[in-house]
Amino acid sequence: MFEYIVQQLINGISIGSIYALIALGYTMVYGIIKLINFAHGDVFMVGAFVGYFAAKAGLGLFWSLILAMAVCAILGVLIERLAYRPLRGAARIVILITAIGVSFLLENLGIYALGPQAKGFPEIVTKTQYTLFGDVTINSVQIIVLAVTVILMVLLQYVVHKTKMGKAMRAVSYDMEAARLMGINVDTTISFTFAIGSALAGAAGVVFAVMYPSVDPLMGIIPGLKAFVAAVLGGIGIIPGALVGGLVLGIVETGVSSAGFSLWRDGAAFAILILILIFKPSGLFGKNVREKV
Amino acid sequence: MAAQQLLLNVDNVSRVFGGLKAVSDVNMQIQDGELVGLIGPNGAGKTTLFNLLTGVYEPSGGKIHLSGESVGGLRPYQITKRGAARTFQNIRLFGDMTVLENVMVAYHMHARHSLFTSIFRLPGHFKGEAEMREKAVEFLKIFNLDGKKDEIAKNLPYGEQRRLEIARALAARPKLLLLDEPAAGMNPQETVDLMNLIRWIRDEFKITILLIEHDMGLVMGVCERIYVLDHGQIIASGTPEEIRTNPHVIEAYLGQEV
Amino acid sequence: MFNKKFFLYLVLSLVFYGVVQFLITGMWLNDFYVDTLVLIGINIILAVSLNLINGFTGQFSIGHAGFMSIGAYVSAIMTYNFQMSFPVALLAGCVAAALAGLVIGLPTLRLKGDYLAIATLGFGEIIRIVWLNTEYVGGASGMNGIDKLTNWTWTFFLVLITILVIQNIVKSTHGRAMISVRENEIAAEAMGVNVTKYKVYAFVVGAFFAGLAGGLTAHYFYIIQPTSFNFMKSFEILVFVVLGGLGSTGGVVLGTILLTLLFTYLQEYPELRMIIYSLILIFTMIFRPQGLLGGFSAKKMVKKGGSSQDGSSTTSA
C-alpha cells in the first residue's frame, strides 16, 4: 500500500509540475494585468507543436525546448501587443472575452494549418524505467519533466527577485499607476511578463508532448483550464502558489484516477476550483481583499 | 425640544480589521428629528462607522438600535427597509439608468407587485408601476430634477449627481438619512445651497439626518449637535459652540482651522 | 404596457410565423431552411436568457451550456423513457434546469466578475462530466433516437414566450432592481434591493430558459451527447450576447440571427468559420465593446467598485 501511494505521488507530481509550469504564466499575467489569459493553454499547444516540428527536424530535447520557449515568448508578446494592449484600461470582462477570442483563433488556426488529427510525438527521449525501491518506479520522461520544472522554477525565482525587470514586474503588479510615475516602463514590463509566462507554457507544451507522445490543436484546452485551477488554488497572482497548486492538483487527479474514477478526473479539478472559489477565493496563499466603500 | 424619541442608539460599537480597531467603543444617541454632524480627521473611522450603521460591515462588538429595533449585523437592504438610507462619499448612482429610474429603484422595496405579477402582466403590475412612476416624478420635482428625468444619470453635472443621490436616498422614505460628505467636490456657492437643502429636507420630510463632513463651515452652520471621532473613538460631542472650544478637538485638529 | 408598439410587433411576428408555416406546409422551404430557422430560434432563447444574467443583472456567467444540457437530458428522458407528452417533458426540463440554477446560484453568486465567470464555467463542466459518467443516459455516446417533436411552430412560439417573459421582467421594478445590481451593487443594496435574491432570480429564470432551449434541441436533432454541451457551447452563447449588445434584448436577438446565419452559410468551410468567428469576437471587443448592435457598454460590468465619477477605480475581487 505504501509503495502504491508513493508511486501515485510520483505520477501525480510529474503531471502536477506540468500544470505548475502553465499555471505560472496564468498567475503572472493575472498578477500584472488582472486578466485570465484564456489563450494561455493554446500558447502551450503552440509550444508542443514547435517541439514536434523541431524534433521531426532532428533537434534534441534541449534545443526543441529552447526553440519552443522562444517561439512562445514571441507569440505571447504578440498576443499582448495586438489583442490586449488596445484594451488597456477597458473592463476586465471585455479583455476576458477578447482572450477567449484569441484562444479560439489559435485553436482554429491550428486546425486549419495542421489538421484536427493528433500526431504522434517523435521519441526524443528514450523511455527507461528505474526502480527506486520495491515496486516503485520512475521513468526517464518523468525525471526530465521534474528536472525541467525545477530548473525553470529556479530561473524564474532569480528573474523575479534578483533582476531589475523582476523588480519592475512586482512593482507594476502592485500598483500600475504608481510604477508608471516612478519611471517604470509599464508596457515593456507587461510584454516581458507575457514573454516569460508564454515561454514557460511553451516548455510545458514540449514536456507534456514528450510524456503523452502526441500533439493536436485542441490539446491546450484541458491542461490550460486545469493549470488555471492550479493557479486559483494556490492564490492567483502568487508565484509559489502556482507551483503548489499545480502539484496538489496533479496529485489529487492521479489519486482520483487510481482509485478507479478516471472519468471523474476532470470533474475533480473543477470541484476543487469551485470549493476554493466559494470558501477561499484568494487561494491557499492569498490574502482576502475586500472592496472599499 | 423635549420629549423626543431616541431614533438611533449606538451602544459600545467596535469594528476590528485584522487586529486594528478602526472604530472602538463608540456610543452615540440620536433623537428623532435631530440634525447631527460627525467630524474628525482623515482616517478617524467616520466612513467605517457609517458602514457599520448601514450594514456594509458587521460590528465586531456592541449594539446598534434603530427605533428600538436591533439592526447590528443585518444586511444593508434590511437596514434600509427598517428606515435608514444613505449616500456615498464617492457618488454611487446607477450610472446607465435614467434619473427617474434611479429614484424608482428606491421605491422598489415598497412595491407590492411580485415578479410573478410582472411576468404575466397582471393588473397589479400596471397599477404598481404607474404609482411608482408618478411618485418618482413628483419627487424629482422637489429637487428640481424633473426636467432631466429621462437623462442618463452619469451624464448629469457633478452637483446634480450629488443632489440626485440625496433624492434617491430620500425616496426610500427613511427615518434616518445618512450623508457621507455631501459637499465633497463642491464649490462654496454649491455648498451654501446644499446647506439650505439639507436643512429644508429635515424640516420638510421631518426626518433625522446624520452627516459626515469635512467642510467645517457646513457642519457648524447646519448641525445642531456634533460628534467628533478620532482614532476610532468619540472624543467629544456637543453643540457647535461647545465643539469649537473643546480642547480635545483642537488637539485632534492641531494645526487645522476649526 | 401593452401599447401600440407591442401589438404591432406581435402582429408582425405572427404574420412572419404564418408566412413561414405556409411555406413549410407547401414544401417551398426545404429542410435546410427549416433547420436554420429552428436553430436560430433555439439560439435566441439561449442568448436572450443568458442576457438576463450577464447583460441586465451584470453577473458574468459562462456556464449556460450546463443548464441547457439539463433541459436536454431531462426532457429527453421524459419522452424517451417515460413516454410523456412533449410539453410536459419540456417543462420538466426547464424546471430541472431552474432548480440547478438555484442550487448553483446560491453559493456562487457571492463571487464577482471573472471569479464568478470561472466558477460558472466549472459548474457547467461538472454538469457535463456528470452526464458523461451516467450510464442511464448513455455516458459518452449520449442518448440516441429521441423523437423529433420540435418543429417550427413550437420553436416560434416558445421564442416568443421567452422574449416576452424576459422583457416583462426587465421592464418592471424587478428588472430595474436587477439592473441596479449591475450598475452598482453596493448602492443597490443600500437602496433596499435584496441583491442576492435578484441575482438568484436572474440565474434561475436564465437557467429555466436555457433548459427550454436544451429540450428543443434534444427533440430536433434526435441525439444528445455530453460533448455538445461543453464550455465551447457556453462561449458560443456568450458571443451571441456580447456581439448583439449586453443588456439589449433587441440587439441580442438581431445579433443571434446574424451570427447563426453567418455560421450556417460558412458550414462548408468549418475551419475558416471558426477563424472568422474568433476574429469577429476580438475585433468587436477592441473596437466596439458595447456590441455590434448597441446595448450598454460591457465596460460597466467590472466597474462595480468604482465611483461613477472618474471611472478610475480598481476593484479587487
Side-chain angles (χ1 to χ4, degrees):
Chain A
M1 190 62 201
F2 172 72
E3 286 175 8
Y4 180 74
I5 292 176
V6 174
Q7 183 65 58
Q8 294 309 324
L9 271 178
I10 291 176
N11 297 346
I13 288 173
S14 35
I15 181 68
S17 52
I18 293 181
Y19 292 153
L21 279 179
I22 315 173
L24 282 168
Y26 268 119
T27 241
M28 286 162 59
V29 166
Y30 191 91
I32 206 155
I33 55 170
K34 304 285 172 283
L35 161 70
I36 299 171
N37 183 11
F38 262 104
H40 195 61
D42 304 297
V43 173
F44 159 90
M45 173 273 289
V46 171
F49 266 101
V50 173
Y52 168 80
F53 287 114
K56 279 250 154 174
L59 292 184
L61 176 71
F62 180 75
W63 290 109
S64 301
L65 264 177
I66 297 289
L67 195 62
M69 289 175 73
V71 170
C72 287
I74 295 168
L75 178 66
V77 172
L78 274 179
I79 292 174
E80 194 274 324
R81 288 264 160 112
L82 298 177
Y84 304 152
R85 187 168 299 178
L87 291 168
R88 190 85 36 85
R92 274 151 66 182
I93 292 303
V94 173
I95 315 180
L96 184 72
I97 296 169
T98 313
I100 294 171
V102 174
S103 167
F104 278 3
L105 186 64
L106 289 177
E107 285 158 18
N108 291 293
L109 282 175
I111 292 177
Y112 188 67
L114 307 162
Q117 313 81 6
K119 297 176 173 47
F121 197 84
E123 198 179 303
I124 46 175
V125 178
T126 10
K127 203 164 176 175
T128 26
Q129 295 270 4
Y130 303 98
T131 306
L132 292 180
F133 60 88
D135 283 338
V136 178
T137 61
I138 187 165
N139 64 43
S140 45
V141 175
Q142 288 175 317
I143 295 176
I144 284 169
V145 169
L146 289 176
V148 169
T149 310
V150 170
I151 293 169
L152 290 176
M153 222 45 108
V154 171
L155 273 175
L156 181 70
Q157 281 298 317
Y158 175 78
V159 170
V160 172
H161 288 282
K162 302 282 182 208
T163 63
K164 213 172 159 189
M165 210 54 195
K167 207 178 255 180
M169 277 165 62
R170 283 182 289 146
V172 173
S173 75
Y174 192 75
D175 186 335
M176 191 183 290
E177 279 317 302
R180 196 194 304 279
L181 292 174
M182 299 313 289
I184 290 172
N185 187 334
V186 170
D187 284 341
T188 313
T189 312
I190 292 174
S191 293
F192 185 73
T193 310
F194 269 87
I196 293 196
S198 306
L200 292 173
V206 177
V207 290
F208 187 88
V210 171
M211 201 152 142
Y212 301 91
S214 95
V215 284
D216 73 272
L218 299 181
M219 68 181 283
I221 299 177
I222 292 295
L225 276 178
K226 288 193 185 152
F228 175 74
V229 174
V232 173
L233 179 62
I236 196 153
I238 303 166
I239 289 177
L243 177 62
V244 176
L247 293 180
V248 170
L249 189 66
I251 291 167
V252 169
E253 259 194 31
T254 318
V256 170
S257 296
S258 70
F261 301 101
S262 53
L263 280 172
W264 290 95
R265 198 184 56 196
D266 296 352
F270 290 113
I272 291 180
L273 172 73
I274 284 160
L275 289 177
I276 277 283
L277 284 177
I278 291 173
F279 293 106
K280 200 164 186 316
S282 52
L284 296 175
F285 294 86
K287 286 190 291 262
N288 278 311
V289 190
R290 64 181 305 163
E291 188 179 344
K292 209 168 151 60
V293 180
Chain B
M1 288 222 178
Q4 275 181 330
Q5 283 214 310
L6 188 60
L7 179 68
L8 178 72
N9 188 8
V10 181
D11 186 11
N12 264 321
V13 164
S14 303
R15 171 70 206 202
V16 184
F17 289 115
L20 196 83
K21 270 201 164 178
V23 167
S24 67
D25 304 324
V26 164
N27 286 292
M28 193 182 250
Q29 280 79 34
I30 297 178
Q31 310 291 328
D32 222 350
E34 272 194 300
L35 209 170
V36 181
L38 176 63
I39 63 171
N42 272 331
K46 303 183 294 288
T47 296
T48 306
L49 183 57
F50 254 42
N51 286 340
L52 288 168
L53 297 180
T54 51
V56 177
Y57 299 148
E58 206 175 314
S60 314
K63 294 193 185 77
I64 303 170
H65 287 267
L66 187 68
S67 311
E69 198 181 351
S70 172
V71 295
L74 290 185
R75 302 283 309 144
Y77 77 92
Q78 294 171 315
I79 295 181
T80 309
K81 279 187 178 158
R82 282 164 179 73
R86 72 176 289 181
T87 64
F88 296 88
Q89 195 173 336
N90 45 353
I91 303 177
R92 287 176 180 271
L93 287 173
F94 306 126
D96 270 329
M97 297 172 90
T98 65
V99 169
L100 184 69
E101 285 168 338
N102 263 274
V103 174
M104 284 172 83
V105 170
Y107 286 121
H108 170 75
M109 62 178 183
H110 303 299
R112 280 187 303 272
H113 53 294
S114 66
L115 182 63
F116 185 86
T117 312
S118 285
I119 289 179
F120 292 97
R121 287 293 192 255
L122 303 178
H125 165 83
F126 297 104
K127 198 164 150 264
E129 292 285 321
E131 263 174 28
M132 282 173 118
R133 185 167 298 268
E134 220 167 277
K135 270 200 231 164
V137 172
E138 282 306 308
F139 212 83
L140 284 172
K141 275 187 192 147
I142 300 177
F143 286 87
N144 259 333
L145 286 165
D146 55 322
K148 300 201 168 182
K149 70 181 164 62
D150 294 323
E151 273 194 43
I152 300 295
K154 67 178 177 199
N155 297 339
L156 291 183
Y158 183 75
E160 287 182 356
Q161 291 198 11
R162 282 256 172 231
R163 247 194 302 154
L164 175 58
E165 211 195 9
I166 297 174
R168 189 182 65 180
L170 270 176
R173 291 277 164 192
K175 289 178 268 190
L176 175 66
L177 176 66
L178 299 122
L179 304 174
D180 194 348
E181 296 204 26
M186 287 190 168
N187 63 34
Q189 182 50 46
E190 286 172 327
T191 308
V192 171
D193 292 345
L194 182 76
M195 266 168 73
N196 294 331
L197 179 70
I198 291 172
R199 229 186 262 118
W200 177 84
I201 286 172
R202 197 268 307 262
D203 298 338
E204 179 75 18
F205 292 90
K206 311 257 179 311
I207 61 170
T208 313
I209 296 176
L210 174 62
L211 64 92
I212 293 179
E213 196 40 75
H214 266 303
D215 189 312
M216 282 303 151
L218 184 126
V219 180
M220 296 292 173
V222 77
C223 296
E224 293 148 353
R225 211 151 59 79
I226 292 170
Y227 283 94
V228 187
L229 201 62
D230 189 28
H231 292 110
Q233 287 175 310
I234 299 282
I235 56 166
S237 68
T239 62
E241 290 317 306
E242 288 164 356
I243 295 299
R244 214 189 295 273
T245 52
N246 185 312
H248 294 295
V249 180
I250 293 169
E251 195 183 321
Y253 276 89
L254 196 67
Q256 294 185 30
E257 187 194 348
V258 178
Chain C
M1 302 252 161
F2 289 129
N3 53 21
K4 264 191 203 150
K5 218 164 108 192
F6 170 80
F7 286 108
L8 181 70
Y9 279 129
L10 193 67
V11 169
L12 278 179
S13 54
L14 288 179
V15 168
F16 176 68
Y17 162 76
V19 169
V20 172
Q21 185 57 43
F22 177 72
L23 290 174
I24 293 174
T25 329
M27 305 288 234
W28 285 291
L29 276 184
N30 65 26
D31 282 354
F32 174 76
Y33 291 103
V34 180
D35 287 355
T36 308
L37 281 170
V38 170
L39 191 63
I40 288 176
I42 291 171
N43 283 343
I44 290 177
I45 296 179
L46 287 168
V48 168
S49 59
L50 184 67
N51 193 30
L52 182 71
I53 305 172
N54 287 20
F56 288 107
T57 317
Q59 304 305 303
F60 210 78
S61 164
I62 39 179
H64 224 47
F67 299 126
M68 184 188 175
S69 77
I70 291 178
Y73 274 100
V74 170
S75 65
I77 292 167
M78 290 296 157
T79 56
Y80 189 82
N81 298 12
F82 295 99
Q83 285 77 46
M84 297 257 192
S85 73
F86 187 43
V88 175
L90 277 182
L91 189 65
C94 294
V95 170
L99 280 177
L102 183 68
V103 171
I104 292 172
L106 281 176
T108 23
L109 286 167
R110 293 190 301 137
L111 301 168
K112 292 198 175 132
D114 34 14
Y115 277 74
L116 175 67
I118 294 304
T120 51
L121 187 153
F123 267 119
E125 285 297 284
I126 288 177
I127 293 173
R128 183 180 65 81
I129 291 166
V130 169
W131 296 127
L132 191 67
N133 286 286
T134 309
E135 271 317 306
Y136 184 69
V137 294
S141 46
M143 292 178 75
N144 235 316
I146 303 161
D147 288 337
K148 184 169 182 174
L149 299 168
T150 305
N151 56 21
W152 161 246
T153 305
W154 276 109
T155 311
F156 176 84
F157 284 101
L158 289 175
V159 168
L160 201 64
I161 289 174
T162 307
I163 294 177
L164 261 179
V165 168
I166 301 282
Q167 280 304 91
N168 282 355
I169 293 175
V170 171
K171 302 232 177 288
S172 78
T173 189
H174 307 284
R176 281 192 300 275
M178 288 172 182
I179 298 171
S180 76
V181 173
R182 170 190 86 195
E183 291 292 303
N184 196 316
E185 199 172 320
I186 287 170
E189 187 142 37
M191 295 324 296
V193 173
N194 185 343
V195 167
T196 315
K197 185 171 98 178
Y198 277 98
K199 284 184 188 174
V200 172
Y201 273 179
F203 221 64
V204 169
V205 174
F208 182 93
F209 286 108
L212 177 63
L216 289 174
T217 309
H219 292 89
Y220 195 76
F221 298 102
Y222 313 104
I223 176 169
I224 43 174
Q225 287 178 319
T227 36
S228 338
F229 305 104
N230 60 10
F231 67 91
M232 303 294 265
K233 182 70 191 175
S234 294
F235 285 159
E236 191 188 311
I237 308 167
L238 177 69
V239 173
F240 292 142
V241 175
V242 171
L243 292 196
L246 283 157
S248 150
T249 304
V252 167
V253 171
L254 273 173
T256 309
I257 294 174
L258 291 178
L259 280 176
T260 312
L261 285 177
L262 179 74
F263 250 58
T264 313
Y265 285 100
L266 284 174
Q267 215 154 29
E268 288 154 54
Y269 321 93
E271 300 97 359
L272 265 186
R273 171 171 95 152
M274 287 309 290
I275 293 172
I276 292 172
Y277 187 67
S278 22
L279 285 174
I280 293 179
L281 188 62
I282 297 169
F283 283 114
T284 313
M285 283 301 102
I286 295 179
F287 298 109
R288 223 182 133 73
Q290 70 272 40
L292 292 174
L293 302 151
F296 89 107
S297 160
K299 277 181 185 162
K300 280 297 296 182
M301 292 199 52
V302 221
K303 280 207 301 195
K304 294 206 173 96
S307 72
S308 48
Q309 272 305 296
D310 49 24
S312 67
S313 66
T314 46
T315 309
S316 51

